[in-house]
Amino acid sequence: MSELQLDPWGTTDIKDYNRLYQEFGISPVTDELLASLKANRYATRKFIFGHRDLQQITDAVASGRPYAVMSGIKPTGPFHLGSKVTADEIIFFQSLSKKATAFYAIADVEAYCDNGVNMAESSRMAIINAADLLALGLDPERAVIYKQSDSLAVQDLAFIFSRDATFNTLKAIYGERPIGLYLSAFVQAGDILLPQTKIFGGPKPVLVPVGADQDPHIRLTRDIAQKHSADLGLIPPSAVYHKLVRSLKGDTKMSKRDPMSMITLSDPPKEAKKKVLAAFTGGRATVEEQRRLGANPNICPVYDLYLYHFVDDDGIVRTVHDECTSGARLCGECKLQAAGYVEAFLQRHQEKRKKMTPKAEELLERSRPLVGQKPI
Ligand code: SF4
C-alpha cells in the first residue's frame, strides 16, 4: 500500500477515508457524537467523516462554557463549494451555544507566500469572503474576522512557536518546502491558538473545521499547544474533518485553475447552471443501458450537489439516489434539477451578500485593533 500524503498546499488524492483513521490517528464520528450533531447534514450524511477531540466542544456546549470555532481562507478567489462547507460548519458550531465565538482568518500572508497574491488584492477579496460568511448566516455579534497581516498577535505567536519545531520536524510533516511556507504554517498555528490568548479571555477549547488535506496544520498546532500547556495554558485544538469536494469533472478534488471544475459563490447563476449541465456523471453509455442497469451516484459529482451541498430534504436525496440506481432517472433531467437548486441558491446568496458588504467591511475594521495587540 502506497503512503498517503496530505498536502495542505498541493493536490491530495484520497480514495479511502478509512486510511486517515489508521495512518493519521483521526477518530471516526461515533453515533453518540453524531447524535449531538444531528441537525447538521454534513455530519448525518457522512461528509464530516472524522475528528480530533470533538468531545471538548460538545462538553463545552453541554456545560455552557465558552469555546471558539475557527477557520480561515487564503484570499486567492471567491468562495467555492469547499470554502462554503467550512463556512457552514463554522456557522453551525457557532450556533450551538451563545458562549461560542467564531474566528475567521483571511490568510493573506499565506496567499502571498504560496500564491504570490499581493496584499491589495487580498484586501479586496477579504471583503467579498467576509460578506459571503455573513450571507451564509454567521452571527456578526460573536465573530472575529481579521487579516493575518493586520494581526500583531498572530505574528508574535508565530515567532514564539517557531522555536518549537526543527527543520526536520517540518520536513517530516510537510515535505521539503520553501521557508515562506514553513513560516506560514507557524502563522496558521498562531491563528488557531489566537482565541486562547488573553485578548480573547484566555485558554478555552477551540474547534477547527477543515478539509482532510489540512490535517498537517492541525497536527503541528496540537503539538505546539501541548508544548505550551504549562507556560501559556494552551489547550490542543479540536478538529472536525470533511471530505474533499469532488470536481465537477469527476476528479477527487476541484482545481482553482480550471473554472469548469468547480462552482463558486460568485459565479453568475446562469454560468453555474452551464457548469452543472456539462458535469461528469455516473451515468451509463446509453439510455437503454441506464434504464436496464441503473447508474452510479457514488462516482457522480452531480449527486454530490444534492447529497452534500444544496438539498436539506432527506426525502429528495433518497429519491434521487433510488431513481438513479434503479434506472428510473436519466442524467440529463437529473442535471437540470440539480442546476435549478444551484441557480436558485446563487441568486439568493448573491443578493444577501451585496447587502452584507458594508457589515463585512465594518467587521474587518472592528477586529483590527483587537488582533493588533500583544498576545501574551
Ligand atoms: Fe448522477 Fe443523476 Fe446521472 Fe445518477 S442520474 S449518475 S445522480 S446525474
Side-chain angles (χ1 to χ4, degrees), residues 281-283 290 295-297 300 302-303 306 320 324 329-331 334-335:
T281 71
Q290 185 143 335
N296 183 1
C300 179
V302 177
Y303 182 62
Y306 291 94
V320 172
C324 170
R329 171 175 285 253
L330 296 178
C331 295
C334 189
K335 282 176 167 180

